[in-house]
Structures are given as C-alpha cells and as structure tokens.
Amino acid sequence: MGLSKQAVRSLVIEAFKDVRLGDGIGLWEGQGHDDYEDEMTIKKLREKDEKQDWHCISVETLNRCESSLSFFDADGMRFHIAAFILADLDGKANCGPAYQLTQLEWNRDKFSTLNQSQRVAIRRYLEQCLESEGYEFEHDVIVNALSSFWKMTGCRLLQPNR
C-alpha cells in the first residue's frame, strides 16, 4: 500500500512549490494550439496565462483547458502538472493527468526538466492512481510506466535508455 492521498498531495506541493512557467507553453496558449488558432490569437491567449504561481489556477480553468496537457513543452508541463495532479487527487478534475504521464513513447521529452523530487512526487501520484477507483482500465499502462520511466532504485529514479 502506498502513501495516502494527503501525503501524496503534500509531496506534490513541496516538490513543485517554486516552479514558474518561464518561456514554457501556458494553459490558455495550449488551448490555442489545440484550437488551431493563428499566431496572433495564441499570443493574446498567452497573456491570459498564469506564469508565476500554479496554485492560482482554478480547477474550473484546468478542466476547461485540460487538452493543453497534450500541447505543453517540458517547462509548461513542469509548471502545470502539479495543479492537474492536485485537482485529480481532490476528485475535482474532469480528466486526471495519468494518461499524459504514462504515454511515454511520445511524451518522454515533456518530463526532461523535472528534478528528482518532482519525479518522485509524480511516481507517488501514479502509485496512488493504482489504488484509486477510476483507473482500473489504465492499471497495466501505469504499472508499465512505473516499472520503466518512473522506476526508482532506493531514492534514485533511473533514466531510461533513449
């Protein structure tokens, strides 16, 4: 049995507490890409994006912009993933981020800027998904991701061969 939801929640908050968006793709900017908007519109959407504190992003906004998970670059993913994880742990997300965290054939580079504590927090979240209702159909994919990309030996996560 893994950590409690509250323990995972605390781990995620601590691991991602100082993350800023920087030049990464923002939530509304990602929606613009999903909607095939032109460059000018995407630039305006980026102005709406929270860039300093992911805690300020409402669950309603996350749910409205959930497809942005597919359009984030590594810095955008690092900035937003904690907000999506917390919304899922709290039972408020329309769609949790587990799918994005387990589709490693085409998502691997989106996790390249994560530090060790962030990777551990994500692993603990995925372990929590295995114990949660609603992830029964993703069980095998999550187990595979945990035993490969998100694998830990002691406290150290292994980098897979590329």
Side-chain angles (χ1 to χ4, degrees):
M1 186 157 136
L3 299 175
S4 70
K5 282 187 181 184
Q6 187 56 44
V8 173
R9 193 175 201 293
S10 296
L11 193 61
V12 169
I13 290 169
E14 180 62 26
F16 289 90
K17 69 180 177 186
D18 296 323
V19 175
R20 305 289 178 261
L21 179 59
D23 293 329
I25 294 174
L27 196 60
W28 290 104
E29 182 181 4
Q31 280 303 121
H33 289 293
D34 188 31
D35 294 338
Y36 300 98
E37 298 289 357
D38 60 56
E39 275 187 55
M40 183 69 76
T41 303
I42 289 173
K43 205 172 200 178
K44 287 180 184 178
L45 288 168
R46 174 151 177 99
E47 291 172 12
K48 290 175 55 173
D49 281 324
E50 174 60 43
K51 298 171 187 75
Q52 298 303 314
D53 186 355
W54 55 266
H55 289 96
C56 293
I57 303 170
S58 70
V59 173
E60 293 77 22
T61 300
L62 291 173
N63 285 333
R64 183 166 179 207
C65 299
E66 67 190 19
S67 66
S68 292
L69 281 161
S70 297
F71 297 91
F72 290 145
D73 57 5
D75 289 337
M77 183 65 80
R78 184 184 59 195
F79 181 72
H80 295 95
I81 195 64
F84 279 100
I85 288 172
L86 294 183
D88 190 39
L89 288 171
D90 293 344
K92 296 179 180 177
N94 288 345
C95 177
Y99 178 80
Q100 297 295 329
L101 296 169
T102 58
Q103 299 306 303
L104 301 167
E105 312 81 56
W106 50 271
N107 257 354
R108 184 180 305 262
D109 291 342
K110 291 184 180 189
F111 310 117
S112 63
T113 59
L114 296 175
N115 67 31
Q116 184 66 25
S117 63
Q118 292 162 351
R119 291 175 59 86
V120 169
I122 288 171
R123 178 179 175 82
R124 298 300 181 216
Y125 162 71
L126 289 172
E127 290 171 346
Q128 179 60 229
C129 290
L130 290 176
E131 297 178 14
S132 301
E133 287 184 34
Y135 285 99
E136 296 87 358
F137 295 112
E138 290 88 0
H139 188 271
D140 291 343
V141 176
I142 293 170
V143 168
N144 184 47
L146 287 170
S147 65
S148 60
F149 187 77
W150 301 106
K151 184 176 184 176
M152 293 188 339
T153 303
C155 293
R156 187 164 176 240
L157 285 166
L158 300 175
Q159 283 289 12
N161 295 332
R162 290 188 175 221

